[in-house]
Amino acid sequence: MDSDEVTFSGGEALFASLFDDAALFPPGDAPMAEAVPAHRRHRTSWYAGFVGPFICADTRLAELPADLVISVVVTGGPGAIERLGPLPNAVALEVSGVADPADATAAVAALRGRTGGVGDTAGFVEVPRTACLPVLDALAGTGCFAKFRTGGLQARAFPSEAELAEAIVGCVGRDLPFKCTAGLHHAVRHTAHDTGFEHHGFLNVLLATSAALDGATAAEVSGVLALRDPAAVADRIRALGEDRVAATRRMFRSFGTCSIDEPLEDLAALGLIGMRTTTATVTTTTTATGQERP
């Protein structure tokens, strides 16, 4: 992205590759024949620098063109990692089906066999809400990263501010980078008008991560996640310095979203990015919400 696409110092780095393209997943459920061309348009657009890899479940890899840069969701748990074929264009493997620290340890071992634990292919392990901190302990220092589910198709799929704050503080305290997925494609904490679900905002998560890096307690981080005033949240984002942006994004790597347009719309509405004419449907208003499950 060009420097004139962001409206404050540090914005280019703060939003770089932040939005992983989960168009295949609910609630978007885009057909592969539409999702792949749309991703190619995203990757050649003026906002390409904001867009991460195309997320695809391991069960659908045969449908993909060979040249697409992807992040693969391993749906069968740690044991399914070893059954994956060659994935030369995979920049990440995201393992689901982990229930406890033993599963996490198995996932790490299998991921190391594919990624070496470091390097060009990142390994993420989805952290179960019922065993969050013990699983973070199992992941710490391994070279693999955490993945948190921040929403879904039912209200109970959304963690509270306190629960997500504990996870973020847990990662920062263990120097364990993480990504998020589901329900996070709007910028600021809000109640969805169509479902009544309480959604986290991705800008809140960025600010919460920054606060945790400053040594904030879980209660204080929860307060940041609870902020609902868009202007106040945007002002806090603009106040982040270059070093803090780098540290925050080192920790909070990205999030999966079935819509690339909606995060862009919100950033533009907040005055944090400029807009250009694009083939995507991008406006400067916040629209309906939804929940995805990559």
Side-chain angles (χ1 to χ4, degrees), residues 43 54 111 118 126 135 175 224 284:
R43 296 297 299 161
F54 186 80
L111 285 168
V118 295
E126 185 169 334
V135 168
D175 194 28
V224 175
T284 57

Side-chain angles (χ1 to χ4, degrees), residues 41-256:
R41 290 192 296 272
H42 294 321
R43 296 297 299 161
T44 57
S45 70
W46 62 265
Y47 55 88
F50 297 102
V51 182
F54 186 80
I55 305 178
C56 184
D58 54 357
T59 54
R60 303 192 65 182
L61 291 173
E63 303 174 53
L64 290 176
D67 64 326
L68 205 65
V69 175
I70 57 174
S71 182
V72 179
V73 177
V74 183
T75 59
I81 300 170
E82 298 176 356
R83 297 191 292 271
L84 292 173
L87 298 168
N89 291 322
V91 296
L93 300 178
E94 307 179 23
V95 185
S96 60
V98 169
D100 53 37
D103 281 349
T105 298
V108 167
L111 285 168
R112 280 179 163 170
R114 298 292 307 229
T115 68
V118 295
D120 294 336
T121 304
F124 290 87
V125 175
E126 185 169 334
V127 178
R129 294 171 64 185
T130 55
C132 178
L133 296 184
V135 168
L136 295 186
D137 285 336
L139 295 177
T142 65
C144 294
F145 306 144
K147 175 181 174 180
F148 298 121
R149 188 161 295 282
T150 46
L153 298 177
Q154 297 177 315
R156 65 175 180 269
F158 291 78
S160 67
E161 293 102 328
E163 182 180 344
L164 184 56
E166 182 179 54
I168 292 171
V169 171
C171 278
V172 169
R174 293 164 175 78
D175 194 28
L176 176 62
F178 66 93
K179 71 171 293 185
C180 295
T181 191
L184 199 65
H185 50 276
H186 283 289
V188 179
R189 177 77 171 171
H190 66 282
T191 304
H193 67 81
D194 51 348
T195 64
F197 296 166
E198 297 293 324
H199 285 249
H200 294 286
F202 66 84
L203 293 184
N204 295 77
V205 176
L206 286 166
L207 291 173
T209 304
S210 175
L213 288 165
D214 271 338
T217 65
E220 291 167 333
V221 171
S222 178
V224 175
L225 291 171
L227 294 172
R228 290 173 179 261
D229 182 342
V233 169
D235 285 345
R236 291 194 182 203
I237 287 290
R238 291 187 186 93
L240 295 175
E242 181 178 341
D243 290 345
R244 178 43 51 89
V245 165
T248 298
R249 286 304 312 279
R250 176 187 171 274
M251 191 61 55
F252 177 28
R253 296 301 177 92
S254 65
F255 66 95

